Amino acid sequence: MTIDIAVIDYGMGNLRSVSKAIEYVAPGRKVVVTSNPDEVVAAGRVVFPGQGAMPDCMREMESRGLRPALLEAARSKPFLGICIGLQMLFEHSEEGDTRGLGLLPGVVRRFPQARMVGAQGEKLKVPHMGWNEVEQAIKHPLWAGIPDRSRFYFVHSYFAEPADGALVAGWSAYPFRFACAAARGNLFAVQFHPEKSHTAGLQLLANFVAWQPLPL
Amino acid sequence: MGLAKRIIPCLDVTAGRVVKGVNFVELKDAGDPVEIARRYDDQGADELTFLDITASSDDRGLILNIIEAVAAQVFIPLTVGGGVRAVDDVRRLLNAGADKVSINTSAVQNPQLVADASGRYGAQCIVVAVDAKRVPGDGPLRWEVFTHGGRKATGLDAVEWGKKMQAMGAGEILLTSMDRDGTRVGFDLELTHAFSSALDIPIIASGGVGNLDHLADGVTIGGADAVLAASIFHYGEFTVRQAKQHMAQRGIEVRL
């Protein structure tokens, strides 16, 4: 049977929320949670989630032989990175001094302790956990029907710094502005968790399932 | 504008039903967990917390069915606690659809469990629940950690314990004042503030909410990142949306 959407499982954390939310917005589509590179290659679109620490994520992804299938998917079909799945697309992360997949130019940094002070002088906690506003930096089919500055659910201690401003699809602020969504061609990636972001998140996932990016 | 303070309705679940007690005892039936979860989701709850207070091991599996049912319909973060003793319990709950797992008694008995679970699944999904009670006396304010649903004293200083749990990989602290739980006179704001200023991870204030100002006070005075309440929502006194509107009027950033 044809696989419509493959959710890549490399043994890091809980993918059930992601697959349940996609099944909810894509009734009748075949959604598989898989660590099998052949299924990733066969799938029509790919979701690349990630939780935990990036060094572990990279190691587990490599140990399952997923790199070639991932690189191929990121070049050729609708591809959605979520959380660490966004961070892994960049060249390098400060977390454990880890090399990423290098699909997007830029680095991943930790929220610096010294700058974690709010508008009233209060200490800001890390991880950045909870609902924050997302400013849409570009028009994009994945933002369709989502009001600008909608809140999405975040939980992370590191954030991406794309080297090319044209890659930024969305901004958030904690307390300084950081890129929370990146886009290029058939690739879209978000730092927040659409699968846990209620109506706005479900709309983004529905948009992804319907997305027909222009051929590169 | 930035990160919103969270309002988290809490559902104490036993044998498949939501219940509410006073000072951890005298349980009253408050309804069907899936139905209640959907209602809070409709009202704009930021997260939901389920505490499994099932005494009998026969009924332990029920919470997994409840979480599965809720997770198929409610797309906000779900935290589940109660009876988590091993990394395998964490795995089962996450697989059922929980996003975070809360560890209480077992963290005291075996702190390494927190480190192991956090290392395996990430700090973002490990909540350490601390039940704290004021230590009487004239000296500086102190609180002691209790376990087993508040029945057993541990001798541990609560703030020191919180710091240790942060160091071992807790991603968040669910902080309940046992002195205030069920009393409806408000959070123990000194306790909340002691934790919020000593720790760098988010603090969820719990125990004692009786009105909407109590929720706001938890944030503005206690410094909490999130506030948790049960009874004011269960019996339809206030909706989550009313609570958020009230907090917004008090100048607190919320997701409306």
Side-chain angles (χ1 to χ4, degrees):
Chain A
M1 180 171 178
T2 330
I3 298 168
D4 293 311
I5 302 149
V7 178
I8 300 181
D9 176 12
Y10 46 97
M12 285 306 293
N14 171 27
L15 304 179
R16 193 182 163 89
S17 294
V18 177
S19 63
K20 284 284 136 194
I22 292 170
E23 282 165 15
Y24 186 84
V25 299
R29 304 282 194 104
K30 170 87 169 163
V31 181
V32 298
V33 176
T34 181
S35 58
N36 178 346
D38 296 338
E39 290 194 315
V40 176
V41 169
R45 39 193 89 223
V46 166
V47 178
F48 182 43
Q51 281 186 350
M54 180 153 148
D56 300 337
C57 287
M58 286 300 295
R59 190 189 61 237
E60 295 298 318
M61 181 276 295
E62 299 284 12
S63 75
R64 286 165 177 76
L66 282 162
R67 180 189 281 257
L70 265 172
L71 294 178
E72 194 268 338
R75 272 194 298 268
S76 61
K77 55 184 103 178
F79 185 101
L80 177 65
I82 298 175
C83 195
I84 311 287
L86 168 143
Q87 296 179 9
M88 288 165 80
L89 302 178
F90 287 88
E91 292 163 302
H92 184 264
S93 173
E94 283 183 0
E95 188 172 21
D97 191 15
T98 308
R99 272 184 73 163
L101 288 164
L103 280 158
L104 299 176
V107 295
V108 177
R109 298 195 191 284
R110 187 172 168 89
F111 284 110
Q113 192 99 51
R115 295 181 67 187
M116 302 317 290
V117 180
Q120 274 97 48
E122 77 279 17
K123 173 172 72 178
L124 296 180
K125 309 295 180 68
V126 177
H128 171 225
M129 183 187 285
W131 298 80
N132 206 336
E133 288 180 326
V134 172
E135 182 193 334
Q136 297 168 16
I138 53 169
K139 269 186 125 44
H140 194 283
L142 265 70
W143 293 134
I146 301 172
D148 193 18
R149 297 191 162 274
S150 290
R151 287 185 186 273
F152 288 83
Y153 186 79
F154 288 81
V155 48
H156 61 123
S157 301
Y158 293 79
F159 62 94
E161 246 178 32
D164 176 359
L167 293 172
V168 179
W171 297 104
S172 192
Y174 191 66
F176 52 86
R177 202 164 85 139
F178 67 92
C180 68
R184 190 179 68 195
N186 57 300
L187 194 151
F188 198 89
V190 292
Q191 178 60 64
F192 51 80
H193 289 270
E195 76 280 11
K196 285 286 137 186
S197 296
H198 206 252
T199 319
L202 293 175
Q203 181 68 53
L204 189 142
L205 292 175
N207 291 343
F208 173 71
V209 168
W211 185 26
Q212 299 295 349
L214 297 172
L216 293 176
Chain B
M1 297 294 275
L3 185 64
K5 300 296 178 182
R6 291 170 278 154
I7 295 189
I8 308 175
C10 178
L11 293 74
D12 287 347
V13 177
T14 184
R17 299 286 291 178
V18 176
V19 291
K20 182 59 195 165
V22 175
N23 288 103
F24 286 82
V25 289
E26 292 178 51
L27 302 175
K28 282 196 283 182
D29 188 273
D32 172 62
V34 179
E35 202 177 293
I36 294 177
R38 289 191 58 170
R39 186 162 77 225
Y40 291 153
D41 179 48
D42 288 342
Q43 292 174 5
D46 295 311
E47 294 186 33
L48 295 174
T49 290
F50 295 82
L51 292 180
D52 182 11
I53 56 171
T54 303
S56 141
S57 54
D58 297 351
D59 293 334
R60 277 256 169 246
L62 285 175
I63 192 73
L64 296 176
N65 301 338
I66 291 168
I67 297 306
E68 284 208 19
V70 173
Q73 304 174 39
V74 170
F75 298 98
I76 56 176
L78 307 175
T79 301
V80 186
V84 176
R85 291 185 185 83
V87 173
D88 209 44
D89 296 325
V90 176
R91 182 185 61 79
R92 262 196 295 277
L93 288 166
L94 294 178
N95 283 343
D99 300 287
K100 309 182 198 181
V101 171
S102 167
I103 308 177
N104 187 340
T105 299
S106 297
V108 174
Q109 291 172 336
N110 172 23
Q112 187 59 33
L113 170 61
V114 172
D116 291 346
S118 179
R120 181 73 189 83
Y121 295 107
Q124 84 289 337
C125 68
I126 303 301
V127 180
V128 170
V130 178
D131 292 342
K133 193 170 184 173
R134 280 183 186 236
V135 177
D138 298 329
L141 279 175
R142 280 190 63 227
W143 294 265
E144 182 181 356
V145 176
F146 278 66
T147 57
H148 297 84
R151 293 189 301 276
K152 206 164 160 184
T154 65
L156 294 167
D157 177 86
V159 175
E160 289 308 311
W161 173 245
K163 287 197 227 171
K164 179 174 175 180
M165 288 295 94
Q166 169 176 296
M168 292 194 78
E172 200 172 22
I173 300 284
L174 168 53
L175 177 62
T176 301
S177 161
M178 293 186 46
D179 304 293
R180 296 299 175 84
D181 194 62
T183 63
R184 304 174 62 88
V185 299
F187 295 122
D188 181 342
L189 296 170
E190 288 161 317
L191 170 67
T192 311
H193 190 261
F195 265 73
S196 192
S197 49
L199 274 64
D200 297 317
I201 53 177
I203 306 296
I204 306 166
S206 155
V209 174
N211 63 45
L212 301 183
D213 275 318
H214 291 155
L215 293 173
D217 292 342
V219 172
T220 57
I221 304 171
D225 301 282
V227 288
L228 179 138
S231 61
I232 64 161
F233 299 133
H234 292 336
Y235 299 115
E237 252 174 286
F238 298 105
T239 64
V240 177
R241 198 167 309 283
Q242 284 172 318
K244 288 186 154 185
Q245 283 160 349
H246 187 80
M247 285 172 74
Q249 279 164 14
R250 292 262 316 254
I252 298 166
E253 185 159 357
V254 291
R255 163 182 160 257
L256 282 169

